[in-house]
């Protein structure tokens, strides 16, 4: 198992090194250094690793958001994220965040950066609690422009501190996005995101 974990980390790090301005990205299970737009309310549902989760996130400021999250049949938690540095051509975006529930705090720092190839973006997260093993992800945008009834689509690959997962993200409109993927050894993953601006 240790060799497999080392191999996964090596592949992701090589992708991040070999492959800059940023494009907003959302990975299925790991955080990114992107903030929810100020004045927006985002509702997310995810099924990942056998767990159903509903999340409601509010963009309070261009660099700060707060959320409440309920794991169905499990814990209720609150979350915050602050973007400390915006992404530039030379430097990645940096955000700090945390998830807080009864008796547990999961804190993290995350970097997000467009990599050398156009439409390729990488993310690295590390912290305490569920983030203590580190997380990494890559998104590759397949068609950056929505044509007719075809949504913009991206491929994603991530290591969420437990295992590897990957799949497809489709953005049908600025408000509506869907994820469909596979968590290795755990079956299908799916998500839906709806944003309301006010």
């Amino acid at each position: 198992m240790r060799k497999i974990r080392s191999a996964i980390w090596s592949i992701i790090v090589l992708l991040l090194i070999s492959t800059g301005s940023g494009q907003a990205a959302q990975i299925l299970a790991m955080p990114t250094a992107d903030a929810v737009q100020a004045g927006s309310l985002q509702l997310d549902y995810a099924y990942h690793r056998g767990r159903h989760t509903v999340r409601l996130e509010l963009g309070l400021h261009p660099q700060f958001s707060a959320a409440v999250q309920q794991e169905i049949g499990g814990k209720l938690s609150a979350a915050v994220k602050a973007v400390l540095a915006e992404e530039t051509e030379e430097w990645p975006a940096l955000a700090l965040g945390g998830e807080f529930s009864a008796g547990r705090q999961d804190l993290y720092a995350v970097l997000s950066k467009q990599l050398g190839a156009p439409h390729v973006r990488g993310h690295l997260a590390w912290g305490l609690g569920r983030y203590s093993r580190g997380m990494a992800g890559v998104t590759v945008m397949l068609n950056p422009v929505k044509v007719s009834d075809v949504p913009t689509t991206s491929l994603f690959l991530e290591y969420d501190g437990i295992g590897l997962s990957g799949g497809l993200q489709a953005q049908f409109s600025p408000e509506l996005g869907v994820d469909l993927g596979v968590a290795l050894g755990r079956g299908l993953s799916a998500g839906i995101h709806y944003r309301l601006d006010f």
Side-chain angles (χ1 to χ4, degrees):
M1 187 65 171
R2 184 171 287 172
K3 285 185 179 183
I4 293 172
R5 187 177 296 154
S6 295
I8 291 169
W9 270 110
S10 298
I11 290 168
I12 290 174
V13 169
L14 284 172
L15 281 170
L16 291 173
I17 291 170
S18 64
T19 47
S21 57
Q23 170 91 4
Q26 186 168 8
I27 306 287
L28 189 60
M30 74 166 286
T32 69
D34 305 309
V36 170
Q37 184 178 332
S40 293
L41 186 64
Q42 183 163 311
L43 177 62
D44 298 324
Y45 163 77
Y47 175 75
H48 185 64
R49 298 194 182 282
R51 296 186 177 137
H52 299 271
T53 306
V54 177
R55 178 182 176 96
L56 188 63
E57 187 167 6
L58 178 62
L60 299 170
H61 182 271
Q63 281 87 30
F64 185 77
S65 65
V68 64
Q69 177 174 297
Q70 174 69 55
E71 188 178 295
I72 307 302
K75 65 179 182 174
L76 175 69
S77 60
V80 294
K81 179 165 42 172
V83 177
L84 301 182
E86 296 286 338
E87 184 174 341
T88 67
E89 195 169 320
E90 296 84 22
W91 297 99
L94 168 65
L96 298 178
E99 298 164 3
F100 309 94
S101 60
R104 184 176 173 111
Q105 293 81 40
D106 301 305
L107 306 173
Y108 64 86
V110 60
L111 299 171
S112 294
K113 178 83 173 81
Q114 181 176 338
L115 305 174
H119 311 299
V120 178
R121 194 136 190 261
H123 311 275
L124 290 173
W126 208 280
L128 304 172
R130 78 180 187 98
Y131 300 98
S132 62
R133 293 182 182 171
M135 297 184 179
V138 176
T139 56
V140 179
M141 185 162 283
L142 299 176
N143 61 328
V145 179
K146 186 177 187 303
V147 179
S148 186
D149 293 331
V150 178
T152 58
T153 53
S154 301
L155 293 175
F156 71 89
L157 176 69
E158 70 176 355
Y159 173 75
D160 63 6
I162 299 171
L164 197 62
S165 58
L168 184 70
Q169 300 174 315
Q171 193 72 36
F172 292 93
S173 70
E175 298 80 25
L176 180 63
V178 173
D179 304 325
L180 185 59
V182 174
L184 292 185
R186 296 303 300 246
L188 289 177
S189 295
I192 186 165
H193 318 282
Y194 183 76
R195 192 184 81 207
L196 176 65
D197 298 325
F198 53 91

